[in-house]
Amino acid sequence: MGEMAENISQNTLVYPKDRRIWVYVNLKLVAVAMFLGILPVIGAWLWWWFLGLPELNPISQIPDTSEDNPIGFPAWLRVAHFVNLFLMIMLIRSGLSILMDHPRLYWNDHCTPGSEWIRFTPHIVPKDRVWTAKDDSRYISPWIALPGFRHTIGIARHWHFLSAFFWFMNGLIFVGLLFATNQWKRLVPQDTEIFMEAWKVFVHYSTFHMPIEPDGFYKYNPLQQLSYFGVVFVVAPLSFLTGLAMSPAIDNWAGWYPRLFGGRQSARSIHFLAMCSYLAFLVPHVGMVVLTGLCQNMNHIVFGTDDREADGLVLFLGGVAGIVGFCYLAHWISWQKPRWVQLGFRYLLGPIQFQFLNRLSSRNQYSRRDISPYFWPNGKLPHCWEWEMLGELRRQGFALRVHGLVEKPMDLSMEDLENLGKREQITLHHCIQGWSGVAQWGGVTLSQLMDCVKPLPTAKVVVFRSFGEGHYGGEYYDTLTIDNARHPETLLAFEMNDKPLSDLHGAPLRLRAENQLGYKMVKWIKSVEFVASIKDVGKGYGGKNEDDEYYPVVANI
Ligand SMILES: Nc1nc2c(c(=O)[nH]1)N[C@H]1C(S)=C(S)[C@@H](COP(=O)(O)O)O[C@H]1N2
Ligand SMILES: [Mo]
């Protein structure tokens, strides 16, 4: 396996020897992107040479101090702006940790190695041996990412979703108050002339002619207005919507939803590009704030006043120091008190996960044509004799133990299971790390099994135990709530793409729970137990990954 010693607990800081991160992009794409980026600048220069510097509409420079126009920045706006800055930093830092867990971006849902348009790893996936998605994850420095290091996606996702939740709320309040007051007039274009005016300003900037700026206390210049509008009303909603398009519960419920963005992986790519556009916005945004009267601009957005003292700037720098302090605190909590992060997420956002996402049926079905030619493997093959001695496709000599809080505990052979009936489905698999793949699965539904063994009313949780071990050693297991076990698409699968399950993908039996992430879908299952609570198994957090890697117990986002 990879460069890192495998038998470590996540709390141990490990610097793998190979810490290379490099960006390998499809060169044609870079050329096209550079060309598209440079095109407007070339246009601006040509305009200047042949038509001269365009004259700016003088009205756009004169402050309009009439009653119905925004004057200055109210407190809610200034607070929302700062909260947004703070949460964006949290989102980007944790997002980078998530990205590095599957450091490849695609425009197709199959994620076949080599089909990515950009990768952040020097590795080319070897074809002559098993290379799991976990082998593929990269190290990222904690100076850049939260929590950083390698394969810390559990914690990173908790920070990401907690921040996303508050960021979304902050955004709703911000946009709501924009329209409840006259502040929307700063951002929303009111006639189409603004595009031409913005272009003229662009010609000025690109040819290094600073135009006379309007006082931002009253209004923005047209280019500024359009770019702020784009960030608030295009990039931000797009980030949110593409984020949702990565959820297994949503995608397997409404197949049209991820297709709006070109599929689940395109949504992930767009999510990443949206982050890039924020950063691309941030550079000129901060640059212009500095160049066009730093102290005055800072007073606008900090105190809501229009004078030139330095106190706004000073308080803002204090705020930035506060953010840096919080980043350090978040890093410390992530490594010293990771359970707090896991449980913080569970108690704050778990109820939403249960109320909305968990109820969606995974009714969306793909067709055989959609089946992925490549399906990333994950996990370690079992190496215990009970599994190794099983005959013919691991089916002979196998008996599934079904026990615990049930009326009729049973040992079921593969034949017994097949005789219960078979359901087939073609669905999109979502690994927590970021990759996906479409496959056909055939197996017996958990409902059918439950009808046989008759769980007692006290049984609330179903435990699936594996012959295999977890990433950091010890038996791999995971749990489903009784409700998720009853979903019609929850299967004990013995077939993948019309063939008996292979060793790599979980022979003889593996779980399919289509509204959940991949780590819930235990492979190489040896037993199914009904218990009263997740507290009754392992360390009590709901599964091997939940225990060791602080993954969430409900995995529908
Ligand atoms: N026993 C066991 N089951 C496991 C895992 C594992 O490590 N051990 N990994 C899980 C994860 S993270 C994923 S994404 C899926 C991957 O299934 P695949 O290898 O068939 O693609 O299996 C899940 N089941
Ligand atoms: Mo996974």
Side-chain angles (χ1 to χ4, degrees):
M1 275 222 160
E3 7 1 87
M4 190 165 76
E6 290 297 332
N7 268 337
I8 47 142
S9 107
Q10 192 175 347
N11 294 31
T12 327
L13 303 194
V14 175
Y15 296 91
K17 267 192 240 104
D18 180 1
R19 273 182 271 157
R20 288 171 299 163
I21 289 182
W22 199 241
V23 188
Y24 297 82
V25 204
N26 184 328
L27 275 179
K28 264 188 249 150
L29 244 129
V30 181
V32 171
M34 292 223 323
F35 179 70
L36 289 180
I38 287 172
L39 209 59
V41 179
I42 295 175
W45 280 80
L46 292 177
W47 188 291
W48 179 43
W49 279 333
F50 292 109
L51 304 172
L53 206 57
E55 218 166 288
L56 299 178
N57 184 350
I59 294 182
S60 67
Q61 282 144 27
I62 304 165
D64 180 348
T65 52
S66 64
E67 272 290 299
D68 53 344
N69 269 309
I71 300 172
F73 299 87
W76 59 262
L77 191 152
R78 291 178 269 132
V79 171
H81 180 263
F82 185 76
V83 170
N84 183 65
L85 169 67
F86 164 60
L87 292 173
M88 284 299 303
I89 289 173
M90 295 293 290
L91 282 166
I92 292 178
R93 282 172 47 78
S94 54
L96 289 174
S97 263
I98 298 172
L99 177 66
M100 282 306 143
D101 226 58
H102 187 71
R104 302 169 191 270
L105 292 169
Y106 316 80
W107 297 115
N108 71 84
D109 278 349
H110 307 306
C111 305
T112 308
S115 72
E116 63 269 6
W117 63 270
I118 186 169
R119 71 183 146 94
F120 305 91
T121 164
H123 287 283
I124 292 176
V125 175
K127 291 212 166 91
D128 54 346
R129 63 194 155 107
V130 174
W131 180 258
T132 65
K134 278 198 175 127
D135 294 332
D136 204 48
S137 78
R138 296 308 291 170
Y139 171 93
I140 184 166
S141 164
W143 289 100
I144 303 170
L146 175 66
F149 295 89
R150 185 166 176 243
H151 194 57
T152 52
I153 189 165
I155 295 289
R157 281 169 47 100
H158 293 317
W159 285 116
H160 200 70
F161 295 140
L162 283 168
S163 308
F165 176 75
F166 290 111
W167 177 81
F168 180 68
M169 289 299 166
N170 186 56
L172 278 189
I173 295 172
F174 176 75
V175 172
L177 287 174
L178 274 186
F179 288 102
T181 63
N182 55 16
Q183 289 289 336
W184 64 272
K185 292 188 184 174
R186 286 180 180 284
L187 300 189
V188 183
Q190 277 160 281
D191 59 62
T192 50
E193 223 161 276
I194 186 169
F195 293 101
M196 196 58 210
E197 289 301 310
W199 166 251
K200 290 180 186 169
V201 175
F202 182 77
V203 175
H204 278 248
Y205 286 154
S206 314
T207 57
F208 307 110
H209 296 89
M210 288 296 270
I212 304 167
E213 295 288 344
D215 184 348
F217 202 62
Y218 303 95
K219 69 162 74 152
Y220 299 138
N221 88 40
L223 184 60
Q224 187 183 15
Q225 179 178 349
L226 276 188
S227 47
Y228 290 7
F229 178 81
V231 168
V232 175
F233 292 99
V234 181
V235 184
L238 201 60
S239 310
F240 178 74
L241 296 174
T242 49
L244 286 185
M246 290 186 252
S247 146
I250 293 178
D251 292 0
N252 279 327
W253 167 62
W256 57 266
Y257 183 69
R259 270 202 298 281
L260 289 181
F261 309 98
R264 199 261 180 199
Q265 292 301 327
S266 298
R268 186 167 181 258
S269 291
I270 295 171
H271 200 71
F272 169 79
L273 289 173
M275 187 268 296
C276 296
S277 0
Y278 285 117
L279 294 180
F281 164 78
L282 203 66
V283 175
H285 179 55
V286 173
M288 293 308 289
V289 166
V290 175
L291 289 179
T292 61
L294 178 61
C295 288
Q296 195 178 1
N297 285 333
M298 291 320 295
N299 286 337
H300 291 173
I301 203 65
V302 174
F303 292 120
T305 55
D306 196 23
D307 57 64
R308 288 155 201 259
E309 307 295 317
D311 31 354
L313 177 62
V314 171
L315 187 61
F316 178 75
L317 291 178
V320 170
I323 294 179
V324 173
F326 191 89
C327 286
Y328 182 78
L329 181 69
H331 172 83
W332 183 85
I333 296 176
S334 301
W335 289 97
Q336 302 305 323
K337 304 283 174 200
R339 286 282 172 231
W340 293 3
V341 189
Q342 182 187 31
L343 297 179
F345 173 84
R346 183 185 292 180
Y347 294 123
L348 279 163
L349 298 184
I352 298 181
Q353 282 192 295
F354 269 111
Q355 284 306 313
F356 301 105
L357 294 176
N358 242 17
R359 304 226 165 143
L360 307 178
S361 63
S362 304
R363 62 189 178 199
N364 183 61
Q365 293 295 316
Y366 289 79
S367 72
R368 283 198 150 63
R369 271 179 294 127
D370 303 321
I371 290 176
S372 299
Y374 179 90
F375 203 90
W376 279 84
N378 233 345
K380 293 194 232 167
L381 278 174
H383 51 73
C384 59
W385 64 270
E386 293 106 308
W387 183 77
E388 279 166 358
M389 63 166 229
L390 296 172
E392 192 61 25
L393 301 165
R394 316 278 172 207
R395 297 160 69 93
Q396 257 164 38
F398 174 72
L400 177 73
R401 273 214 78 197
V402 190
H403 63 125
L405 302 174
V406 291
E407 273 176 33
K408 296 191 211 158
M410 292 184 187
D411 288 302
L412 295 159
S413 70
M414 288 305 287
E415 254 187 7
D416 297 335
L417 286 167
E418 278 164 354
N419 288 339
L420 290 179
K422 185 169 113 183
R423 182 195 153 87
E424 283 190 11
Q425 58 200 30
I426 305 178
T427 50
L428 184 67
H429 175 98
H430 300 61
C431 173
I432 191 170
Q433 297 187 269
W435 58 271
S436 59
V438 178
Q440 180 266 9
W441 305 99
V444 51
T445 67
L446 224 54
S447 297
Q448 286 167 308
L449 188 73
M450 282 153 77
D451 291 343
C452 293
V453 298
K454 306 211 162 48
L456 301 172
T458 47
K460 297 282 180 256
V461 170
V462 194
V463 189
F464 302 86
R465 292 203 167 79
S466 173
F467 288 111
E469 293 193 348
H471 196 47
Y472 301 108
E475 178 186 74
Y476 193 98
Y477 79 97
D478 214 301
T479 59
L480 288 181
T481 61
I482 279 277
D483 293 338
N484 273 337
R486 282 246 181 245
H487 270 264
E489 302 82 9
T490 302
L491 302 184
L492 285 176
F494 39 74
E495 217 180 77
M496 179 185 187
N497 300 337
D498 296 311
K499 290 195 202 77
L501 214 51
S502 64
D503 277 358
L504 190 58
H505 291 293
L509 271 186
R510 67 146 337 139
L511 187 64
R512 295 302 309 166
E514 306 299 352
N515 67 343
Q516 303 287 303
L517 293 170
Y519 67 88
K520 298 250 99 180
M521 308 192 202
V522 179
K523 304 197 286 189
W524 313 293
I525 291 180
K526 66 176 173 200
S527 71
V528 177
E529 187 187 2
F530 291 78
V531 297
S533 153
I534 53 172
K535 299 223 167 74
D536 303 338
V537 262
K539 295 181 194 162
Y541 296 94
K544 188 63 182 162
N545 288 301
E546 290 88 327
D547 286 347
D548 291 357
E549 300 187 40
Y550 313 99
Y551 283 11
V553 64
V554 188
N556 50 24
I557 184 110

